[in-house]
Amino acid sequence: MSAATDYLLHLADNALVLGQRNAEWCGHGPILEEDIALANVSLDLIGQARLLYQLVATLKGGDCTEDKLAYFRDTHEFRNYTLLELPHRGPLSGYAQGDLDYSTTIVRNFLYSALMALLWEALEKSANADLAAIAAKSQKEVRYHLRHARDWLVRFGDGTDESHARAQASLDHLFAYTQEFWAHSPAEAAAIEAGIGVDVRTLQADWDAIVDAALAEATLVRPAVGGYVTLGKQGIHSEHLGFLLAEMQSLARAHPNGAW
Amino acid sequence: MSTALKEWPLWEVFVRSKQGLEHKHCGSLHAADAAQALDMARDVYTRRQEGVSIWVVESKAITASNPDDKGELFDPAADKIYRHPTFYEIPEEVGHM
Amino acid sequence: MYTQSFNVPDAPGGKTVPLTQPIEDPARQAAFDARIDADGRIEPQDWMPDAYRRTLVRQISQHAHSEIVGMLPEGNWISRAPSLKRKAILIAKVQDEGGHGLYLYSAAETLGTSRDQMLEGLHSGRAKYSSIFNYPTLTWADVGVIGWLVDGAAIMNQVPLCRCSYGPYARAMVRVCKEESFHQRQGYEALLVMMGGTEEQKAMVQDAVNRWWWKCLAMFGPPDADSPNSVQGMRWGIKRVSNDELRQKFVDATVPQAKVLGVTLPDPDLKWNEARQHYDYGQIDWAEFWETVNGNGPCNKERLATRVKAHNDGQWVRDAALAHARKQQERRMKEAA
């Protein structure tokens, strides 16, 4: 796979997997207004994924389509950050069941949107003009996602004892996964080399500033990180992505020649 | 944390559909505060590009006229037909005025 | 978007809407009647008979409940939508239903009943919602068929409600109908594409049509002869067209659509009646319909419990937002002092 397609798939898979996760709330949100708001976030993310997959399909040529990329690749071929595939709940094994927890959703959206607000902005200068155009569109969307998640994070931190405890627990659970943002991957290195991608590490200080300011306002504590660094963007995932894809891809794979 | 008020307050939403037009009432929603009401109005009432600007105001802040006063408030304007341009006949040769 | 045009009485035991004016007020009653007779509109602050207010609250809140319960059967397929395009369409559509519920709750709130009170009615099982959502969505084709037939039936119901006598309800329905027009079309188009696909896909569509057709006919409510509430609703201008008329209109509109699609409607008695200039259709199973309305359909318990769970699980989120808003206000007041 070329540097460009591998990198684009990383961006696309991020958007699709998080869009898929967030859509799990549709019909189950904490209040009608918020149900609608979160569906908008999902729609933006799935829209981004589609544009990126379409770009990859064009680059690959042949009979490749956005849906082939989304529905007919296996777990190890997905290039999303592990953070984004986790269920909306605390740390539990892949086949364990748990209730949807809105603080997990908000904290994850916040950590990821804070990164993407910076990354999409930087990618507007990508040497790949199509990617630059997608970045410009996505940048506007993610700024709203960040605002939405940040506002809720502050509400949770400042709100009730329960919401504060839940938000802190979600941070403690998820923060270690952000280490993957800054870890080196061959695909990213190749894309940076080609002028297509951006070195995420150059964004780290700005990300820290966004995160620290929000956590301070929310009176939440930034967890210390260390230990295992996840490798989702290199195709080595948690137990959770397999379940997510099994569900997402089941119908399309049952009818490989189907027209939808 | 005691929650004496259990339900989020109600807000009225006004949307400007495009630059140059007035904000128009389009509905209401529940939100915990003004900033949230604004964001939720964006998500609920502008999903199809219905707006370029939004106002929200807490419903209880609106003072409305009493329907029972309709007669004294609005009927007296009915016979002031001289306030309307069509009341005046101008010779045609004057053209548009 | 969904409503059944009949207005099922909610189960007893609910709080009645508090009276805001004396029941007996002949002068006001006469003015109200005159306005209704002149096809005028009633606005929230206007005097209205208590029965009109209560009927509206019941009808609008049932309608709103139907919207949010109606998110569940279709939401069931969001995670498995077979293409990204269909996934986006389905999320947008289910989200729209949530929006419609919201507009309708807002309209009902102008009558002096809070959304929480209405939700309490739903969650306790007292308030009814459209029985169509108590049936399961078993395959992806159900999503298309719900768009085509269920939304199609609902649109028949709702377009006349845009002219209903209560201003906020009528305005909500205008907004709803505007958004709704995409729902039926997306469903029908999805089915058209499937009918051009594999044999399995075609069979899937036919199976879904077979399961939903009769339920959709029942959505219009009992025959006019058995629908005493309708008369009062028509008198008040909150119901504009009778159940049987709407049902007939739906059948007449749907038969040619089914033909274009290439599916068979599962009714051997369905045929054109030259004398009536309408399609005749067979007997609806009203016993099964009432079983479902009264809580004993295949999914009633699941639907209701799912709504209750979402509401209860969301309590801490709603509380957090309120607590934060209050703290912010206190801080601002302290700063100002």
Side-chain angles (χ1 to χ4, degrees):
Chain A
M1 227 180 293
S2 77
T5 55
D6 215 10
Y7 185 70
L8 291 169
L9 282 174
H10 162 59
L11 296 172
D13 293 343
N14 280 344
L16 176 60
V17 168
L18 186 59
Q20 173 82 2
R21 276 289 179 221
N22 281 338
E24 291 171 13
W25 280 103
C26 197
H28 310 278
I31 189 168
L32 210 36
E33 284 82 351
E34 186 59 14
D35 205 306
I36 293 168
L38 200 67
N40 276 343
V41 175
S42 272
L43 286 172
D44 286 343
L45 289 169
I46 289 165
Q48 292 169 9
R50 291 188 65 194
L51 291 173
L52 291 159
Y53 286 136
Q54 286 162 12
L55 181 52
V56 173
T58 312
L59 292 173
K60 291 182 105 152
D63 61 353
C64 187
T65 64
E66 59 174 280
D67 288 330
K68 282 228 165 88
L69 293 166
Y71 290 92
F72 292 90
R73 281 182 306 137
D74 290 329
T75 311
H76 68 274
E77 295 169 278
F78 269 71
R79 291 286 178 268
N80 58 283
Y81 295 126
T82 302
L83 171 72
L84 308 178
E85 72 209 30
L86 304 174
H88 302 276
R89 58 177 195 231
L92 283 174
S93 290
Y95 71 109
Q97 299 297 316
D99 286 343
L100 295 176
D101 169 39
Y102 210 60
S103 72
T104 311
T105 308
I106 290 298
V107 168
R108 174 185 20 222
N109 284 352
F110 170 70
L111 297 172
Y112 174 70
S113 303
L115 175 71
M116 295 312 290
L118 300 166
L119 184 53
W120 285 128
E121 189 181 14
L123 282 172
E124 287 179 49
K125 297 186 204 79
S126 169
N128 182 313
D130 294 317
L131 176 57
I134 295 170
K137 177 181 179 291
S138 305
Q139 156 71 0
K140 285 188 208 161
E141 294 167 347
V142 77
R143 267 172 21 212
Y144 188 78
H145 303 171
L146 176 58
R147 164 174 164 166
H148 175 264
R150 189 190 192 280
D151 284 355
W152 271 112
L153 187 70
V154 170
R155 282 187 198 105
F156 287 168
D158 183 53
T160 63
D161 291 345
E162 181 182 3
S163 68
H164 183 94
R166 281 176 180 266
Q168 187 63 55
S170 299
L171 272 171
D172 294 345
H173 166 40
L174 297 177
F175 215 86
Y177 289 90
T178 64
Q179 295 178 101
E180 187 185 338
F181 294 169
W182 326 115
H184 172 87
S185 82
E188 282 173 297
I192 296 161
E193 181 77 17
I196 299 162
V198 165
D199 185 351
V200 185
R201 280 168 300 189
T202 62
L203 309 173
Q204 191 169 2
D206 287 339
W207 184 84
D208 281 336
I210 295 172
V211 169
D212 289 342
L215 292 185
E217 203 179 325
T219 66
L220 294 164
V221 180
R222 179 172 172 148
V225 294
Y228 178 68
V229 178
T230 50
L231 294 163
K233 65 185 176 184
Q234 298 184 55
I236 299 164
H237 289 276
S238 70
E239 291 175 350
H240 305 287
L241 185 64
F243 286 99
L244 182 147
L245 293 183
E247 183 173 334
M248 187 183 88
Q249 298 175 333
S250 58
L251 179 59
R253 289 190 178 208
H255 302 269
N257 300 314
W260 312 103
Chain B
M1 180 77 218
S2 73
T3 42
L5 188 88
K6 279 295 221 344
E7 192 165 1
W8 286 0
L10 193 64
W11 301 75
E12 300 302 319
V13 179
F14 300 81
V15 170
R16 184 202 296 286
S17 58
K18 65 176 192 186
Q19 212 67 9
L21 295 181
E22 75 278 36
H23 287 78
K24 206 173 149 194
H25 183 245
C26 70
S28 50
L29 49 75
H30 288 272
D33 55 43
Q36 190 185 41
L38 207 54
D39 282 357
M40 286 181 161
R42 177 262 192 193
D43 283 314
V44 171
Y45 287 107
T46 65
R47 300 198 302 282
R48 289 177 170 79
Q49 293 190 292
E50 291 96 333
V52 295
S53 164
I54 302 172
W55 290 347
V56 290
V57 58
E58 205 172 337
S59 307
K60 68 178 186 200
I62 291 180
T63 309
S65 63
N66 186 336
D68 289 346
D69 298 341
K70 188 171 155 279
E72 63 205 64
L73 288 179
F74 308 115
D75 289 353
D79 67 348
K80 315 291 193 294
I81 47 175
Y82 44 80
R83 287 187 186 275
H84 300 279
T86 47
F87 181 71
Y88 304 94
E89 283 191 25
I90 304 287
E92 231 168 74
E93 59 263 37
V94 176
H96 177 73
M97 181 182 273
Chain C
M1 150 59 65
Y2 321 99
T3 174
Q4 47 207 14
S5 60
F6 77 118
N7 206 333
V8 205
D10 287 339
K15 272 174 255 163
T16 48
V17 180
L19 296 184
T20 51
Q21 54 251 314
I23 304 168
E24 296 287 332
D25 194 332
R28 286 166 183 264
Q29 178 75 51
F32 173 86
D33 290 342
R35 194 182 293 183
I36 293 281
D37 290 342
D39 203 19
R41 294 288 177 272
I42 307 298
E43 293 295 341
Q45 313 258 329
D46 293 335
W47 186 91
M48 60 189 88
D50 190 53
Y52 175 83
R53 183 186 299 272
R54 273 188 283 123
T55 303
L56 271 175
V57 169
R58 192 177 67 222
Q59 183 174 327
I60 303 172
S61 62
Q62 283 181 3
H63 195 162
H65 298 331
S66 302
E67 298 288 351
I68 58 165
V69 175
M71 296 171 82
L72 301 175
E74 287 182 280
N76 187 38
W77 283 92
I78 288 175
S79 68
R80 294 173 288 171
S83 76
L84 295 183
K85 181 177 101 176
R86 295 290 169 199
K87 187 188 290 289
I89 292 170
L90 185 57
I91 293 172
K93 194 205 166 211
V94 175
Q95 180 198 39
D96 270 358
E97 310 299 1
H100 297 169
L102 193 155
Y103 308 154
L104 287 159
Y105 283 128
S106 298
E109 281 181 281
T110 63
L111 292 157
T113 307
S114 73
R115 192 196 293 179
D116 270 5
Q117 282 173 306
M118 290 184 264
L119 287 179
E120 208 277 317
L122 174 68
H123 296 163
S124 66
R126 241 181 12 252
K128 303 290 188 204
Y129 55 87
S130 184
S131 62
I132 195 83
F133 302 115
N134 290 316
Y135 299 100
T137 49
L138 301 180
T139 73
W140 171 255
D142 291 37
V143 171
V145 168
I146 286 178
W148 173 39
L149 295 180
V150 177
D151 290 323
I155 289 168
M156 291 280 170
N157 260 326
Q158 288 162 3
V159 169
L161 286 174
C162 296
R163 296 180 291 114
C164 101
S165 65
Y166 187 59
Y169 191 20
R171 289 192 288 276
M173 292 315 300
V174 168
R175 195 170 189 84
V176 164
C177 286
K178 230 185 251 175
E179 297 185 357
E180 192 74 17
S181 54
F182 115 73
H183 294 185
Q184 191 185 14
R185 289 172 69 99
Q186 66 80 29
Y188 189 71
E189 190 251 3
L191 297 177
L192 271 176
V193 173
M194 288 177 75
M195 290 302 286
T198 64
E199 289 309 312
E200 287 100 324
Q201 287 187 293
K202 288 180 203 169
M204 204 190 278
V205 174
Q206 183 62 57
D207 164 67
V209 170
N210 293 348
R211 281 182 289 110
W212 289 95
W213 172 249
W214 288 105
K215 321 291 183 216
C216 289
L217 290 194
M219 270 177 80
F220 292 94
D224 294 347
D226 309 332
S227 202
N229 275 346
S230 290
V231 180
Q232 182 62 71
M234 300 275 251
R235 169 74 186 80
W236 275 334
I238 54 181
K239 178 170 173 58
R240 291 292 193 179
V241 186
S242 84
N243 295 354
D244 286 333
E245 270 179 81
L246 285 168
R247 186 163 21 240
Q248 184 68 61
K249 214 173 148 195
F250 174 72
V251 172
D252 291 348
T254 307
V255 171
Q257 294 165 359
K259 208 172 159 196
V260 173
L261 191 56
V263 295
T264 311
L265 298 173
D267 179 0
D269 298 325
L270 187 70
K271 54 176 174 294
W272 179 250
N273 182 325
E274 190 59 34
R276 289 204 310 128
Q277 288 292 299
H278 287 296
Y279 283 94
D280 291 336
Y281 52 90
Q283 273 299 316
I284 295 167
D285 183 352
W286 291 110
E288 194 263 340
F289 172 77
W290 285 112
E291 274 293 318
T292 307
V293 168
N294 291 322
N296 303 314
C299 298
N300 297 52
K301 291 184 180 70
E302 294 174 8
R303 299 291 187 238
L304 195 55
T306 303
R307 283 311 317 159
V308 170
K309 178 170 167 48
H311 187 76
N312 290 346
D313 289 355
Q315 186 67 49
W316 73 266
V317 178
R318 298 190 299 276
D319 285 348
L322 264 191
H324 170 68
R326 267 195 221 128
K327 286 182 184 175
Q328 287 285 79
Q329 203 171 12
E330 280 163 21
R331 283 179 206 124
R332 272 196 297 271
M333 279 164 68
K334 223 176 264 173
E335 264 169 43

